[in-house]
């Protein structure tokens, strides 16, 4: 990694990144309202696109590298980068919804894995542990620590629960570009890797598998799924590094308000 490629953000830029990321959180909450048995992932995509545009922003993933939609929607054994389709959600599915926005020149990026109806206890545990690991990763993401501290915290928590960490895909810097340096792996060693500095903005996004950590890409050229077809979970926040605890620029608050009232 070329350290010169890591852009430290000013407070003004962080305010713009916060606004874009808050819109992602609100968009995911709109999607959450509509997640139920029978809804197609393409219907969810349309809801998100309309909401983002009505808020003066542009979908961040649409046309990014040729991606055809607003959301990446990945069901069950799909890990990330699933393409919305006519697939109708079924009782017991888990569905990772990853959303990006571009607002006033700055990107937002956040993801949440939802349950459809009643989900198997072991799968629920996978979601719980993955979400907890994101919080632990964020706790480690402080000025003066290193990238490896983040991955270490995530990996330790997930492996202790018997789950595995996807290694082929990683988190990333966020700014005027959706994907900036540094890479943010969900595995690592304490004290190793890029030094974290106040003003860095990164997306931390554990992708955690119930079974084998290996993944493959489907023939559609996008969808990543587990090699053993067991389920995978994905949660993502975009954060700003500070001295002390990082500031979470994205939010799950709006999503969880919806889920708690369902
Ligand atoms: Mg994302
Ligand atoms: Mg991301």
């Amino acid at each position: 990694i070329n350290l010169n490629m890591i852009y430290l953000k000013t407070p003004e830029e962080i305010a713009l990144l916060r606004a874009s990321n808050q819109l992602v959180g609100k968009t995911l909450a709109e999607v959450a309202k509509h997640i139920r048995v029978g809804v197609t992932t393409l219907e969810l995509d349309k809801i998100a696109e309309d909401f983002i545009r009505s808020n003066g922003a542009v979908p961040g993933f649409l046309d990014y590298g040729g991606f055809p939609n607003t959301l990446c929607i990945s069901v069950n054994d799909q890990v990330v980068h699933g393409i919305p389709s006519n697939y109708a959600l079924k009782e017991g599915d888990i569905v990772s919804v990853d959303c990006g926005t571009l607002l006033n020149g700055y990107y937002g990026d956040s993801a949440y894995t939802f349950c459809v109806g009643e989900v198997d206890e072991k799968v629920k545990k996978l979601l719980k542990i993955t979400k907890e690991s994101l919080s632990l990763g964020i706790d480690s993401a402080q000025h003066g620590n290193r990238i490896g501290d983040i991955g270490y915290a995530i990996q330790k928590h997930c492996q202790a629960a018997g789950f595995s960490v996807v290694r082929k895909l990683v988190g990333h810097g966020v700014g005027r570009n959706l994907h900036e340096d540094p890479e943010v792996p969900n595995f690592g060693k304490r004290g190793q890797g890029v030094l974290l500095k106040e003003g860095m903005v990164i997306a931390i996004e554990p992708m955690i598998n119930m079974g084998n950590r290996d993944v493959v890409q489907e023939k559609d050229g996008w969808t990543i799924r587990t090699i053993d077809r067991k389920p995978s979970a994905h949660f993502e926040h975009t954060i700003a590094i500070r001295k002390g605890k990082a500031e979470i620029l994205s939010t799950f608050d709006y999503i969880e308000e919806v889920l708690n009232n369902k």
Side-chain angles (χ1 to χ4, degrees), residues 142-144 197-199 240-246:
Q142 300 191 11
H143 177 93
K197 289 184 186 163
E198 187 164 31
I241 303 294
R242 290 173 154 179
K243 290 175 177 142
K245 195 160 172 23

Side-chain angles (χ1 to χ4, degrees), residues 32-92:
K33 287 178 191 169
H34 295 88
I35 287 183
R36 56 174 168 74
V37 172
V39 72
T40 71
T41 56
L42 207 48
E43 287 169 336
L44 299 176
D45 187 74
K46 173 85 171 108
I47 288 160
E49 178 170 3
D50 290 349
F51 187 81
I52 290 167
R53 292 193 190 281
S54 71
N55 281 277
V58 173
F61 300 163
L62 184 63
D63 293 330
Y64 186 88
F67 189 77
N69 289 87
T70 292
L71 299 176
C72 293
I73 305 186
S74 309
V75 181
N76 297 333
D77 63 346
Q78 298 176 342
V79 180
V80 285
H81 302 167
I83 301 175
S85 72
N86 291 321
Y87 176 81
L89 295 178
K90 295 197 309 277
E91 182 84 17

Side-chain angles (χ1 to χ4, degrees), residues 109 172 179 203 205 236:
D109 189 8
H172 50 90
H179 294 124
E205 49 179 315
E236 176 179 28

